[in-house]
């Protein structure tokens, strides 16, 4: 669940967003999309890029319209990735935390 690169991406993105806001751009909010691993139209469930790891296996889903044997199972467990904990620390401290010094998830 280590995703140091994602922490760096968010740090760079939020840093540039802060610069833009300081220069007068109207920034009201920011949402870290995607917060959870999800279905992508082109890559299906293969790529995982959210801040929450969705631990699913592929199995049979009799309710699926197609590909019943290759659907994510319904018994899904979610785990926070380090980027989720890093983002929480940024939010609660109201400061841009350096991912290099971030200790990771302690929960």
């Amino acid at each position: 669940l280590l995703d140091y690169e994602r922490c760096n991406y968010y740090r760079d993105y939020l840093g540039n967003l802060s610069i833009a806001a300081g220069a007068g751009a109207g920034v009201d909010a920011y949402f870290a999309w995607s917060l959870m691993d999800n279905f992508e139209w082109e890559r299906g469930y293969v790529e995982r890029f959210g801040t929450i790891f969705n631990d699913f296996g592929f199995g049979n889903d009799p309710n699926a319209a197609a590909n019943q044997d290759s659907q994510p199972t319904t018994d899904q467990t979610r785990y926070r990735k380090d980027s989720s904990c890093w983002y929480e620390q940024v939010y609660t401290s109201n400061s841009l935390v350096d991912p290099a010094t971030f200790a990771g998830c302690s929960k």
Side-chain angles (χ1 to χ4, degrees), residues 40-75:
E40 286 300 305
W41 290 109
E42 185 175 337
R43 303 281 297 155
Y45 292 101
V46 174
E47 290 189 29
R48 297 179 175 254
F49 54 85
T51 62
I52 306 295
F53 178 76
N54 192 355
D55 187 15
F56 56 75
F58 290 100
N60 182 274
D61 181 356
N63 299 315
N67 301 320
Q68 289 184 343
D69 292 327
S70 60
Q71 296 296 315
T73 58
T74 56
D75 184 21

Side-chain angles (χ1 to χ4, degrees), residues 1-106:
L1 302 180
L2 305 174
D3 58 349
Y4 182 73
E5 294 81 15
R6 185 171 290 107
C7 293
N8 282 328
Y9 169 81
Y10 283 132
R11 180 212 47 214
D12 293 346
Y13 196 98
L14 291 172
N16 286 314
L17 188 65
S18 177
I19 291 169
V27 178
D28 294 325
Y30 173 77
F31 182 77
W33 186 89
S34 163
L35 292 179
M36 190 170 69
D37 291 333
N38 62 350
F39 177 79
E40 286 300 305
W41 290 109
E42 185 175 337
R43 303 281 297 155
Y45 292 101
V46 174
E47 290 189 29
R48 297 179 175 254
F49 54 85
T51 62
I52 306 295
F53 178 76
N54 192 355
D55 187 15
F56 56 75
F58 290 100
N60 182 274
D61 181 356
N63 299 315
N67 301 320
Q68 289 184 343
D69 292 327
S70 60
Q71 296 296 315
T73 58
T74 56
D75 184 21
Q76 301 179 22
T77 306
R78 292 165 178 86
Y79 301 96
R80 294 181 74 180
K81 297 178 185 175
D82 278 349
S83 58
S84 170
C85 298
W86 177 86
Y87 195 77
E88 177 186 10
Q89 189 172 354
V90 168
Y91 179 80
T92 57
S93 68
N94 196 29
S95 64
L96 202 52
V97 178
D98 183 359
T101 61
F102 176 66
C105 292
S106 61

